[in-house]
Amino acid sequence: MDLKKFVRDVPDFPKDGILFKDLTTLWKSPEALKEAGKKLLELVDNHQIDVVIGIESRGFVFAPMMAVELQAGFVPVRKKGKLPAQTLQAEYALEYGTDVLEIHTDAIKKGDRVLIHDDVLATGGTAAAVVELVQRMGGEVVQCNFIMELGFLNGRGKLQGVPVAALLDY
Ligand SMILES: O=P(O)(O)OC[C@H]1O[C@H](OP(=O)(O)OP(=O)(O)O)[C@H](O)[C@@H]1O
Ligand SMILES: Nc1ncnc2[nH]cnc12
């Protein structure tokens, strides 16, 4: 199945000059939703994973399903002010802004093998901030895993030393 056919391009969202890759059209198709989940798991191969992190909000669509299949736990990384208990924070810049991400301080144990999942790798600012959080907590990032990579923005440049895998390349 050609999953790219299910991705909708929306020009000038959320800002002028940004070509937004809309995945709601892929999520809405039962066949594409199932196929994308299956293929994302294939990217992980046979790696042993303790924790799957999903990055708010679009990373939450597939990360819990992947955690179930990998017999791992699910941990949310959220935008500032949303997690209720004690957190670690990282500031970051993304393709169209800046923000702060948080994770609960007790969410990752030293030595945990962690899979980081998000929908889009663009400039890499978001994923790099999450890698930093995991490493500060003593976790090992086994893979940063995405549905799509905007290769022309060279997000991998910010993720050096960490395995990166994406289903679709643009
Ligand atoms: O590689 P980067 O340049 O950092 O961009 C990628 C990030 O941008 C989007 O999130 P957004 O902040 O728009 O939030 P959302 O998932 O809540 O829509 C996307 O879901 C990634 O998390
Ligand atoms: N161009 C883009 N489309 C969808 N999500 C994004 N996140 C960062 N850049 C994006």
Side-chain angles (χ1 to χ4, degrees):
M1 181 185 297
D2 183 3
L3 288 174
K4 280 191 175 179
K5 287 197 181 128
F6 294 88
V7 179
R8 174 165 58 188
D9 283 354
V10 182
D12 299 323
F13 182 88
K15 289 183 174 167
D16 280 357
I18 302 289
L19 182 64
F20 192 85
K21 298 299 217 185
D22 179 20
L23 282 164
T24 62
T25 37
L26 183 151
W27 300 336
K28 193 183 155 195
S29 156
E31 296 79 20
L33 184 66
K34 187 172 178 184
E35 175 79 358
K38 188 175 127 228
K39 293 274 184 206
L40 285 170
L41 283 164
E42 285 172 12
L43 292 179
V44 185
D45 205 4
N46 282 323
H47 289 299
Q48 176 68 41
I49 304 292
D50 299 308
V51 172
V52 179
I53 287 181
I55 306 177
E56 183 180 5
S57 58
R58 286 177 263 149
F60 289 176
V61 174
F62 286 104
M65 175 280 289
M66 295 175 77
V68 170
E69 292 299 321
L70 293 165
Q71 300 186 53
F74 166 68
V75 166
V77 163
R78 298 208 62 183
K79 311 255 163 80
K80 190 179 174 183
K82 301 288 186 182
L83 287 172
Q86 192 184 41
T87 63
L88 269 187
Q89 302 188 345
E91 275 191 46
Y92 67 104
L94 74 159
E95 195 186 4
Y96 37 69
T98 61
D99 214 332
V100 174
L101 286 173
E102 293 187 323
I103 189 169
H104 276 144
T105 51
D106 60 1
I108 306 284
K109 296 192 306 292
K110 199 168 182 328
D112 272 349
R113 292 172 56 79
V114 178
L115 177 73
I116 297 173
H117 169 75
D118 204 355
D119 62 334
V120 177
L121 174 63
T123 64
T126 305
V130 178
V131 169
E132 180 203 312
L133 286 172
V134 171
Q135 291 175 344
R136 275 162 64 194
M137 299 172 89
E140 181 193 344
V141 178
V142 176
Q143 183 182 87
C144 287
N145 169 288
F146 304 93
I147 299 170
M148 73 171 72
E149 170 178 10
L150 307 185
F152 60 94
L153 292 172
N154 190 28
R156 284 181 190 244
K158 288 212 180 76
L159 299 174
Q160 277 168 22
V162 178
V164 176
L167 281 185
L168 310 176
D169 191 14
Y170 288 89

